[in-house]
Amino acid sequence: MKRKWFRYSICLGALLLTAVILSFPSQCLSLSLQGLQLWFTKMIPALFPFMVLSGIIIRMDLISLFARPLTPLLGKLYQVRPPLVYGMVIGFLCGFPMGAHTAAELYRTQKISKEEASFLLAFCNNIGPVYFLSFLLPTIGCKDRRLPFFLFGMYGIPLLYGIFVGATGFGLPDPQKQGVGAKNSSVGKPVENISLSLEYAMDSAIHGITVLGGYMILFNLCNLIPYACARLFHLELTESFLGVCNCLFEITSGVRRVKDALPAAVLICLPMGGLSCIAQTKSMLKGTDLSLKTYLLHKGVQTLLAALYYLFLFRFLFLRLFPA
């Protein structure tokens, strides 16, 4: 019954979006071009090279070599093997959705088990530091004195949450129910040569980056819905409110729209990343049995923690440390 209503809801949503697109063609064109521009200028340069290189490293079994410098620290702190250290580093440095892409690729190539891949997904698929420092913080008007607080909110909370998940097993699948392939994951597949590795990594990266572009355009188009509702019911919606709605659909265009009007609201949206990031993550998990529901559970917890943290900062701490 639930599945039936879910299908009806998807059908109704598609019909609604189609009607809105036909009713506002000029706005539709503008939003589509905006999503395409964001994909071409932000997503491809930032992610495509890393997707190719990561695919080569995993296929040629060079993970331990790249993870070796940080394994003594992260390996002991999180009680994990070098493949997971590699997944953590790539996930935090490269940002959405490379954390999910790397975890899924390590799992597909049997370098890690389902439990270990779920562990990486729980906290390693976040906004990248280059995007966070060079675009997001300047756009929302971050001051240098507040930078350490924002860095902790963006990366300190997930890192601490990862320690909690590793120690408690919260939200992780039962190792006894993973099947033969997952239990034998430490054996791995034969190492591929550079030619085969490059060919596979290139094909996978081209397919992945193209799908991500489609999601960015689609969910940027969803911003027509609150705009159409405001026009239909003659509502006076502020640009800040529409910008926050924009963040819930597609985070980058939403940040540009909100700017420095509601920085706390933007920062609270970052752990989940909006519907576009969720869809991108889902596409990265395609072909595996890794659970998107479990991923959303962990992201929901981190969003709640981020909300409590940022509301405390903006309501109490910042007013005392950095008065206007």
Side-chain angles (χ1 to χ4, degrees), residues 15-225:
L15 291 174
L16 175 62
L17 184 58
T18 301
V20 170
I21 289 173
L22 294 175
S23 302
F24 303 97
S26 60
Q27 289 84 353
C28 170
L29 178 61
S30 176
L31 289 172
S32 296
L33 289 175
Q34 185 183 59
L36 181 62
Q37 182 186 35
L38 289 173
W39 172 69
F40 189 77
T41 60
K42 300 291 183 182
M43 184 73 76
I44 294 180
L47 286 184
F48 185 76
F50 289 107
M51 294 175 79
V52 174
L53 292 174
S54 181
I56 294 173
I57 291 170
I58 293 173
R59 289 277 161 174
M60 295 191 67
D61 202 19
L62 301 174
I63 298 169
S64 297
L65 180 63
F66 278 80
R68 186 178 300 169
L70 292 174
T71 298
L73 173 62
L74 296 179
K76 291 182 179 180
L77 183 61
Y78 289 88
Q79 296 297 304
V80 295
R81 302 182 294 115
L84 277 85
V85 173
Y86 173 79
M88 291 170 61
V89 172
I90 293 297
F92 274 92
L93 289 183
C94 300
F96 275 122
M98 274 300 295
H101 178 273
T102 305
E105 192 68 11
L106 288 170
Y107 181 46
R108 287 192 195 98
T109 55
Q110 300 182 14
K111 300 293 191 300
I112 61 176
S113 68
K114 182 178 180 180
E115 182 186 23
E116 291 173 323
S118 299
F119 172 71
L120 286 178
L121 283 173
F123 70 105
C124 294
N125 196 39
N126 304 294
I127 297 293
V130 174
Y131 174 94
F132 186 68
L133 293 173
S134 64
F135 168 73
L136 192 140
L137 290 184
T139 304
I140 65 174
C142 168
K143 298 179 180 179
D144 293 339
R145 294 177 298 172
R146 299 182 178 185
L147 180 59
F149 297 96
F150 293 136
L151 287 174
F152 178 82
M154 187 68 251
Y155 302 108
I157 291 176
L159 286 170
L160 293 177
Y161 184 73
I163 296 176
F164 165 76
V165 172
T168 64
F170 173 68
L172 299 183
D174 187 348
Q176 302 300 321
K177 299 180 180 179
Q178 292 181 27
V180 177
K183 291 179 182 178
N184 295 332
S185 63
S186 60
V187 177
K189 292 184 177 180
V191 178
E192 297 178 354
N193 60 42
I194 180 62
S195 178
L196 289 176
S197 299
L198 177 59
E199 182 179 355
Y200 176 87
M202 189 67 69
D203 289 344
S204 177
I206 290 174
H207 176 266
I209 204 71
T210 303
V211 171
L212 300 187
Y215 279 127
M216 291 188 72
I217 295 172
L218 174 63
F219 284 100
N220 210 44
L221 272 177
C222 289
N223 291 300
L224 279 172
I225 296 176

